[in-house]
Amino acid sequence: MYDVLQIRKSSLANGIEYSGDIFAASNSTIREATVTSNPVAVAEFFHHTCDAVLDGLLASGRGGTGILGDVSNHYGVVDTNGRGMLHLHAIVWLRGNLAFSALRNRILDDADFATRMIRYLESIIIQGIDESIPHDAEVNLPTTGPLACDSQSDHDYHLTLTHDSNLVARSKQMHSKNHFATCLKYRVNNRARHSCRFGMPRELVPSSKVDDLGVIHLARNHPWINPWNPAIAQLPPLQSRHFLDRNCRQSAVTDQ
């Protein structure tokens, strides 16, 4: 990392001009060197990011309204993958949520309640991508989300954020069609040995529906995309733009 910084400082001091692509590559090298040489800094950054999401966005246990509504509490466990990358598995409880059996019965017996429940879940969990939004696979995803401009109306800015979160989903939320080693972890019998434990690819669902058991199946237009939340996907201050797997248990909402 020291060599890269010294080269950049020396070159700038001597008036040598570089393209933006070269600086982007060197910035990536510096970040990678920082991560591998200072795991404590990475852990602290991860901790602050989790606090920002749980306390700021979800307003968990604070009596306010967050992006999921009124969250009464949460429980999370930090884990690492085979590459040592920190990630959070969390359960979030919504205030006033019904017990599973009561919630299921009401969904089955009250069509209006079921419709409102589906509308709420569709606002926080997306299982598809908007194919009408232009996408260029050759263009790299920006490292930060769009910022508001004074000339933009709220509606126009919301459209900009919608487009940006869709690009993030295309880039970060797609499950590999070749799968990963973790996809086959824990598979010990021959019947399930070659099946993905995440259920990918998943069956398409043209529109959200409630089945005979009272289970809600949200609309899905892509078999390989992981469930995602548009508000978290477009976090410019945190520069998150990361993988997120969001699911609803009919007594809680879970982040993975």
Side-chain angles (χ1 to χ4, degrees):
M1 180 175 69
Y2 175 79
D3 292 339
V4 174
L5 288 173
Q6 287 299 105
I7 292 173
R8 284 182 57 171
K9 289 179 180 178
S10 175
S11 300
L12 291 173
N14 293 323
I16 300 175
E17 295 184 359
Y18 288 99
S19 69
D21 293 338
I22 294 178
F23 277 120
S26 63
N27 287 338
S28 176
T29 301
I30 292 172
R31 287 195 299 269
E32 182 178 352
T34 301
V35 167
T36 55
S37 63
N38 195 343
V40 174
V42 174
E44 290 180 344
F45 177 77
F46 178 78
H47 173 72
H48 290 308
T49 301
C50 291
D51 281 348
V53 172
L54 295 171
D55 296 340
L57 286 179
L58 270 60
S60 177
R62 294 180 175 269
T65 301
I67 61 173
L68 302 182
D70 189 355
V71 174
S72 62
N73 213 336
H74 69 272
Y75 176 78
V77 176
V78 177
D79 193 8
T80 60
N81 59 18
R83 295 173 294 167
M85 181 181 295
L86 296 171
H87 58 278
L88 181 70
H89 298 264
I91 299 177
V92 176
W93 285 272
L94 300 178
R95 195 179 307 279
N97 194 15
L98 302 174
F100 173 77
S101 58
L103 179 60
R104 180 186 60 185
N105 292 338
R106 187 168 180 186
I107 288 175
L108 288 172
D109 298 337
D110 188 339
D112 179 65
F113 177 79
T115 299
R116 288 188 288 118
M117 187 70 177
I118 288 175
R119 187 163 59 244
Y120 164 71
L121 292 176
E122 287 180 333
S123 72
I124 64 171
I125 303 173
I126 297 178
Q127 298 194 118
I129 51 177
D130 189 343
E131 297 288 358
S132 67
I133 296 178
H135 170 66
D136 188 346
E138 300 299 323
V139 177
N140 293 328
L141 180 71
T143 57
T144 59
L147 301 178
C149 301
D150 293 337
S151 59
Q152 276 186 310
S153 66
D154 290 345
H155 175 71
D156 289 341
Y157 183 53
H158 182 265
L159 287 179
T160 301
L161 292 178
T162 300
H163 286 204
D164 180 69
S165 63
N166 198 75
L167 294 176
V168 174
R170 281 183 178 273
S171 175
K172 303 296 185 180
Q173 293 299 120
M174 290 296 183
H175 191 90
S176 172
K177 294 182 179 180
N178 296 321
H179 298 285
F180 303 98
T182 186
C183 293
L184 306 179
K185 189 167 62 173
Y186 310 130
R187 300 300 187 186
V188 294
N189 58 66
N190 292 330
R191 182 179 61 82
R193 184 171 56 186
H194 300 295
S195 61
C196 174
R197 69 187 179 101
F198 301 107
M200 294 294 187
R202 298 179 185 175
E203 183 179 352
L204 299 182
V205 181
S207 60
S208 299
K209 61 182 180 180
V210 178
D211 66 18
D212 294 338
L213 298 176
V215 176
I216 294 176
H217 300 266
L218 292 180
R220 167 178 286 273
N221 71 357
H222 198 291
W224 293 98
I225 198 164
N226 289 288
W228 57 284
N229 176 275
I232 295 179
Q234 59 192 215
L235 287 176
L238 298 179
Q239 298 185 14
S240 63
R241 314 175 82 73
H242 58 285
F243 169 79
L244 171 73
D245 191 358
R246 172 172 292 270
N247 297 282
C248 176
R249 305 289 184 262
Q250 289 186 203
S251 58
V253 174
T254 65
D255 283 337
Q256 298 180 355

